[in-house]
Short mmCIF file of all heavy atoms in Angstrom, two decimals:
data_model
loop_
_atom_site.label_atom_id
_atom_site.label_comp_id
_atom_site.label_asym_id
_atom_site.label_seq_id
_atom_site.Cartn_x
_atom_site.Cartn_y
_atom_site.Cartn_z
N LYS R 43 -14.20 34.84 82.21
CA LYS R 43 -13.29 34.87 81.06
C LYS R 43 -13.23 36.24 80.40
O LYS R 43 -12.61 36.39 79.35
CB LYS R 43 -13.77 33.86 80.01
CG LYS R 43 -13.98 32.45 80.51
CD LYS R 43 -12.67 31.73 80.70
CE LYS R 43 -12.88 30.26 80.97
NZ LYS R 43 -11.59 29.60 81.27
N ASP R 146 -19.82 20.00 76.24
CA ASP R 146 -18.76 19.07 76.67
C ASP R 146 -19.15 18.31 77.94
O ASP R 146 -18.31 17.69 78.56
CB ASP R 146 -17.42 19.81 76.83
CG ASP R 146 -17.44 20.85 77.94
OD1 ASP R 146 -18.53 21.15 78.48
OD2 ASP R 146 -16.36 21.38 78.27
N GLU R 176 -13.16 32.78 58.59
CA GLU R 176 -12.37 33.22 59.73
C GLU R 176 -12.08 34.71 59.59
O GLU R 176 -11.92 35.21 58.49
CB GLU R 176 -11.06 32.42 59.70
CG GLU R 176 -10.25 32.54 60.95
CD GLU R 176 -11.06 32.15 62.16
OE1 GLU R 176 -11.77 33.02 62.69
OE2 GLU R 176 -10.97 31.00 62.59
N GLU R 188 -3.76 45.83 82.37
CA GLU R 188 -3.46 45.58 83.78
C GLU R 188 -4.43 46.36 84.65
O GLU R 188 -4.80 47.49 84.32
CB GLU R 188 -2.02 46.00 84.11
CG GLU R 188 -0.99 45.01 83.61
CD GLU R 188 0.45 45.42 83.90
OE1 GLU R 188 0.68 46.48 84.51
OE2 GLU R 188 1.34 44.67 83.49
N TYR R 252 3.02 42.58 75.62
CA TYR R 252 3.20 43.21 76.94
C TYR R 252 4.36 44.20 76.95
O TYR R 252 4.45 45.04 77.84
CB TYR R 252 3.35 42.15 78.04
CG TYR R 252 4.36 41.06 77.76
CD1 TYR R 252 5.70 41.25 78.03
CD2 TYR R 252 3.94 39.84 77.23
CE1 TYR R 252 6.62 40.24 77.76
CE2 TYR R 252 4.85 38.83 76.96
CZ TYR R 252 6.19 39.03 77.23
OH TYR R 252 7.10 38.05 76.97
N ASP R 256 4.38 47.87 78.47
CA ASP R 256 5.50 48.41 79.27
C ASP R 256 5.93 49.79 78.78
O ASP R 256 6.25 50.66 79.58
CB ASP R 256 6.70 47.46 79.21
CG ASP R 256 6.52 46.24 80.10
OD1 ASP R 256 5.72 46.34 81.05
OD2 ASP R 256 7.17 45.21 79.84
N GLU R 275 -3.80 42.44 88.33
CA GLU R 275 -4.18 41.45 87.32
C GLU R 275 -3.69 41.86 85.94
O GLU R 275 -3.75 43.01 85.57
CB GLU R 275 -5.71 41.31 87.29
CG GLU R 275 -6.22 40.23 86.36
CD GLU R 275 -7.71 39.99 86.57
OE1 GLU R 275 -8.06 39.19 87.45
OE2 GLU R 275 -8.52 40.63 85.88
N TYR R 276 -3.19 40.87 85.23
CA TYR R 276 -2.82 41.02 83.82
C TYR R 276 -3.85 40.26 83.02
O TYR R 276 -4.34 39.21 83.46
CB TYR R 276 -1.43 40.43 83.61
CG TYR R 276 -0.97 40.31 82.17
CD1 TYR R 276 -0.64 41.44 81.43
CD2 TYR R 276 -0.85 39.06 81.56
CE1 TYR R 276 -0.21 41.33 80.12
CE2 TYR R 276 -0.41 38.95 80.25
CZ TYR R 276 -0.09 40.08 79.54
OH TYR R 276 0.34 39.96 78.24
N ARG L 8 3.39 38.55 85.76
CA ARG L 8 2.08 38.94 85.26
C ARG L 8 1.11 37.76 85.29
O ARG L 8 -0.02 37.88 85.74
CB ARG L 8 2.21 39.46 83.82
CG ARG L 8 2.78 40.85 83.76
CD ARG L 8 2.71 41.39 82.35
NE ARG L 8 2.74 42.84 82.40
CZ ARG L 8 3.68 43.58 81.81
NH1 ARG L 8 4.66 43.01 81.13
NH2 ARG L 8 3.64 44.89 81.90
N PRO L 43 0.40 36.92 73.98
CA PRO L 43 0.52 37.76 75.18
C PRO L 43 0.90 36.99 76.43
O PRO L 43 1.14 37.60 77.47
CB PRO L 43 -0.88 38.37 75.31
CG PRO L 43 -1.78 37.39 74.65
CD PRO L 43 -0.99 36.79 73.52
N ASP L 45 3.20 34.19 76.15
CA ASP L 45 4.40 33.41 75.79
C ASP L 45 4.15 31.90 75.80
O ASP L 45 4.92 31.13 76.37
CB ASP L 45 5.55 33.73 76.77
CG ASP L 45 6.23 35.05 76.44
OD1 ASP L 45 5.80 35.70 75.46
OD2 ASP L 45 7.16 35.43 77.15
N GLU L 65 -6.36 32.44 76.61
CA GLU L 65 -7.55 32.16 75.80
C GLU L 65 -8.01 33.34 74.95
O GLU L 65 -9.19 33.52 74.72
CB GLU L 65 -8.71 31.69 76.70
CG GLU L 65 -8.36 30.43 77.49
CD GLU L 65 -9.26 30.18 78.69
OE1 GLU L 65 -10.45 30.53 78.64
OE2 GLU L 65 -8.76 29.64 79.70
N ARG L 70 -4.81 31.77 66.93
CA ARG L 70 -5.77 31.15 66.03
C ARG L 70 -5.81 31.91 64.70
O ARG L 70 -5.94 31.31 63.63
CB ARG L 70 -7.15 31.22 66.70
CG ARG L 70 -8.24 30.43 66.08
CD ARG L 70 -9.44 30.44 67.02
NE ARG L 70 -10.12 31.73 67.04
CZ ARG L 70 -10.98 32.13 66.11
NH1 ARG L 70 -11.26 31.35 65.10
NH2 ARG L 70 -11.56 33.30 66.19
N GLY L 85 -15.13 23.11 79.99
CA GLY L 85 -15.93 24.01 80.82
C GLY L 85 -15.38 24.11 82.24
O GLY L 85 -15.12 23.10 82.87
N TYR L 87 -12.50 25.02 83.16
CA TYR L 87 -11.04 24.99 83.19
C TYR L 87 -10.46 26.25 82.56
O TYR L 87 -11.18 27.08 82.02
CB TYR L 87 -10.52 23.74 82.46
CG TYR L 87 -10.66 22.48 83.28
CD1 TYR L 87 -11.87 21.79 83.32
CD2 TYR L 87 -9.60 22.02 84.05
CE1 TYR L 87 -12.01 20.65 84.10
CE2 TYR L 87 -9.73 20.88 84.83
CZ TYR L 87 -10.94 20.19 84.85
OH TYR L 87 -11.07 19.08 85.62
N ARG L 92 -10.20 37.80 88.19
CA ARG L 92 -10.78 38.27 89.45
C ARG L 92 -11.32 39.70 89.31
O ARG L 92 -12.12 40.16 90.10
CB ARG L 92 -9.74 38.23 90.56
CG ARG L 92 -9.47 36.79 91.02
CD ARG L 92 -8.36 36.76 92.04
NE ARG L 92 -7.14 37.31 91.46
CZ ARG L 92 -6.28 38.06 92.13
NH1 ARG L 92 -6.49 38.36 93.39
NH2 ARG L 92 -5.19 38.52 91.54
#
Side-chain angles (χ1 to χ4, degrees):
Chain R
K43 306 284 190 185
D146 65 351
E176 192 55 275
E188 284 179 1
Y252 49 84
D256 283 337
E275 185 170 274
Y276 171 71
Chain L
R8 284 188 157 120
D45 282 0
E65 301 161 33
R70 191 170 73 80
Y87 283 83
R92 286 175 301 142

